[in-house]
Amino acid sequence: MTTRVLVVDDEPQIVRALVINLKARHYEVDSAPDGRTALELAASRHPDVVVLDLGLPDMDGVDVIRGLRGWTRVPILVLSARHSSDEKVQALDAGADDYVTKPFGMDELLARLRAAVRRAEPAGPGEDDVTTVETEAFTVDLAAKKVNRGGRDVRLTPTEWHLLEVLVRNTGRLVGQRQLLQEVWGPSYGTETNYLRVYMAQLRRKLETDPAHPRHFITEPGMGYRFERE
Amino acid sequence: MTTRVLVVDDEPQIVRALVINLKARHYEVDSAPDGRTALELAASRHPDVVVLDLGLPDMDGVDVIRGLRGWTRVPILVLSARHSSDEKVQALDAGADDYVTKPFGMDELLARLRAAVRRAEPAGPGEDDVTTVETEAFTVDLAAKKVNRGGRDVRLTPTEWHLLEVLVRNTGRLVGQRQLLQEVWGPSYGTETNYLRVYMAQLRRKLETDPAHPRHFITEPGMGYRFERE
DNA sequence: GAGGTCTTTGACGCAACCCTGACGGATCGG
DNA sequence: CCGATCCGTCAGGGTTGCGTCAAAGACCTC
């Protein structure tokens, strides 16, 4: 998953320099030339970090910070031509995370950007719940790559785990055999359905209470497989 | 509850100026004149933010950052006389949160400090600084960089320690071999899995009760390794 | 420059894993 | 009723990956 950056500046050459450097490092980049657009884009695109120039044509930069802080904690990295200590204090106290004065070194800016993103990384309270899935027979922890059954850890081989991962991520949905094969074995494997039969059997044997009558790893004849929580 | 700051600098007048200003704003302040003392104080006093001068007499400032990041996510605000962009990048990538060059304005520094503290405020309840991890066979003290086994300190080489640190930080979770290699040996080492085999063997020989049947350093064939406490 | 420690590298035996093919059961349609 | 198709099961063989040991290379200290 790549990081999305929103660049806000009214000077095209600055924007261009930033966009080029960021894209070269595999960031996804949006840009806005003024405060209004910036706030709209931030709301619609949900960037992982905002690089904000304070000298905007339509509104005060500090108000942009306040506007963002009203609803999001996305890291804000402020750019400014002003060296005035007062302005820095205002921006930081309004909720900015960092403040860089122009002209800036690209290496430094990128390093500060990495720092800001890194810091915010594990701030996903909405995603912690998705990491573990429970059934009455076993528990899958996607983050730790662990499967627990009756208090004991179950050993899964890489292929078994990969297969389970794809199924669990699509809980309740049918996953076609072609899709399953390609996600686990690679794009060139579309028809080797016997692989699926073998490995589904392994999963059932290791996880189902009664492997002969599976309750969670459901077979949809001719189409694919489905993982059900209950 | 007041905020606790650890100031690390070898120049007494800087320390004095900071201490005075911080205390006037009702911060609680500790100070250290060198890296060793800084790491000790950080471990014993658990500051909410660290202000760190990079030019210390006893060790490289970046190593102090790494030493802290081995066990805590406390915000680190770096002070430095150097304007070199390279040093900034190194410090930030080592885990620093902000970088201010001397001479600095006190107002700006305080604003950056507030920003750093504010950001760290909603610290995840599960991520409190855990400095020591115990098993029935040995004890790891991440802050002191010490491993104790049966009352005797175990001697670890730098690489062994680094490996252990990464595993312990992810207690219970599986760490992929690629991630392990890149965190310990650097981004360009993604495939030399033989390094892992050799060093995992060393760790097991030094720490496991029965190295042939490891209870804590579990290998997941084809995927990676996992540290389990029990 | 010598001795020691730490890291890197190569070779080997062994276990684990992945693929494969054969067989039997179930379902459906002719 | 019979054939076709699809799925589940099992076991064997080739390959990969892991643990171990030992020795060479790099680095530091004295």
Side-chain angles (χ1 to χ4, degrees), chain A residues 101-112:
Chain A
T101 54
K102 297 197 222 178
F104 55 86
M106 187 57 73
D107 287 344
E108 177 185 344
L109 184 84
L110 290 170
R112 286 186 184 273

Side-chain angles (χ1 to χ4, degrees), chain A residues 197 201 204 219 222 225:
Chain A
R197 293 207 293 279
R204 296 208 251 243
T219 260
Y225 294 85

Side-chain angles (χ1 to χ4, degrees), chain A residues 34-65:
Chain A
D34 55 54
R36 250 180 52 86
T37 322
L39 289 172
E40 278 170 18
L41 276 179
S44 63
R45 303 276 297 166
H46 286 270
D48 300 302
V49 56
V50 176
V51 178
L52 172 68
D53 181 19
L54 281 195
L56 296 176
D58 62 333
M59 51 191 290
D60 185 358
V62 176
D63 288 333
V64 179
I65 299 176

Side-chain angles (χ1 to χ4, degrees), chain B residues 157 159 185 195 198-199:
Chain B
T157 73
T159 312
W185 278 271
Y195 291 11
V198 172
Y199 276 89

Side-chain angles (χ1 to χ4, degrees), chain B residues 68-163:
Chain B
L68 288 168
R69 279 292 171 261
W71 60 274
T72 178
R73 299 171 57 88
V74 60
I76 302 175
L77 209 157
V78 167
L79 282 182
S80 170
R82 308 263 190 84
H83 286 250
S84 130
S85 160
D86 193 46
E87 199 178 63
K88 293 187 194 178
V89 172
Q90 277 200 327
L92 290 166
D93 281 340
D97 288 78
D98 203 343
Y99 191 107
V100 180
T101 53
K102 300 196 216 178
F104 54 86
M106 187 57 73
D107 288 343
E108 177 185 344
L109 185 83
L110 290 171
R112 287 186 182 273
L113 199 114
R114 283 194 295 276
V117 172
R118 164 179 16 100
R119 208 155 42 206
E121 196 108 336
E127 284 223 65
D128 283 335
D129 295 344
V130 181
T131 69
T132 91
V133 174
E134 265 184 80
T135 74
E136 93 289 340
F138 57 90
T139 303
V140 181
D141 187 332
L142 289 175
K145 285 206 190 314
K146 272 189 181 168
V147 182
N148 200 299
R149 176 180 176 186
R152 317 185 60 86
D153 276 358
V154 181
R155 187 178 174 76
L156 293 185
T157 73
T159 312
E160 287 164 7
W161 174 261
H162 204 153
L163 184 60

Side-chain angles (χ1 to χ4, degrees), chain A residues 11-217:
Chain A
E11 300 171 61
Q13 61 270 33
I14 301 254
V15 174
R16 204 160 46 83
L18 280 171
V19 170
I20 288 172
N21 273 284
L22 288 169
K23 286 202 170 156
R25 278 155 183 91
H26 307 105
Y27 290 92
E28 233 173 90
V29 190
D30 297 312
S31 67
D34 55 54
R36 250 180 52 86
T37 322
L39 289 172
E40 278 170 18
L41 276 179
S44 63
R45 303 276 297 166
H46 286 270
D48 300 302
V49 56
V50 176
V51 178
L52 172 68
D53 181 19
L54 281 195
L56 296 176
D58 62 333
M59 51 191 290
D60 185 358
V62 176
D63 288 333
V64 179
I65 299 176
R66 294 208 186 89
L68 288 168
R69 279 291 172 262
W71 60 275
T72 176
R73 301 174 52 89
V74 60
I76 302 175
L77 208 155
V78 166
L79 282 182
S80 171
R82 307 265 190 81
H83 286 251
S84 126
S85 161
D86 194 43
E87 197 178 65
K88 294 187 194 178
V89 173
Q90 277 199 331
L92 290 167
D93 280 341
D97 288 78
D98 203 343
Y99 191 106
V100 181
T101 54
K102 297 197 222 178
F104 55 86
M106 187 57 73
D107 287 344
E108 177 185 344
L109 184 84
L110 290 170
R112 286 186 184 273
L113 199 115
R114 284 194 293 275
V117 172
R118 165 175 16 101
R119 227 162 18 216
E121 196 124 321
E127 256 184 323
D128 275 17
D129 302 338
V130 194
T131 63
T132 93
V133 174
E134 258 181 273
T135 75
E136 93 290 339
F138 57 90
T139 304
V140 181
D141 186 332
L142 276 315
K145 286 212 193 322
K146 246 200 215 170
V147 180
N148 200 299
R149 177 182 173 185
R152 314 190 59 84
D153 280 354
V154 182
R155 290 215 127 201
L156 294 186
T157 71
T159 317
E160 287 164 7
W161 176 260
H162 206 152
L163 185 60
L164 175 66
E165 208 175 359
V166 175
L167 288 170
V168 167
R169 266 209 259 278
N170 294 289
T171 299
R173 282 194 293 271
L174 169 74
V175 187
Q177 14 197 30
R178 166 150 313 191
Q179 181 189 348
L180 223 36
L181 280 165
Q182 295 189 342
E183 287 218 38
V184 177
W185 278 270
S188 50
Y189 293 73
T191 59
E192 281 78 345
T193 60
N194 46 328
Y195 292 10
L196 290 180
R197 293 207 293 279
V198 171
Y199 278 90
M200 287 302 302
Q202 312 251 20
L203 276 185
R204 296 208 251 243
R205 188 144 34 80
K206 290 187 178 180
L207 300 180
E208 291 274 7
T209 315
D210 178 7
H213 304 92
R215 297 190 50 189
H216 304 102
F217 299 97

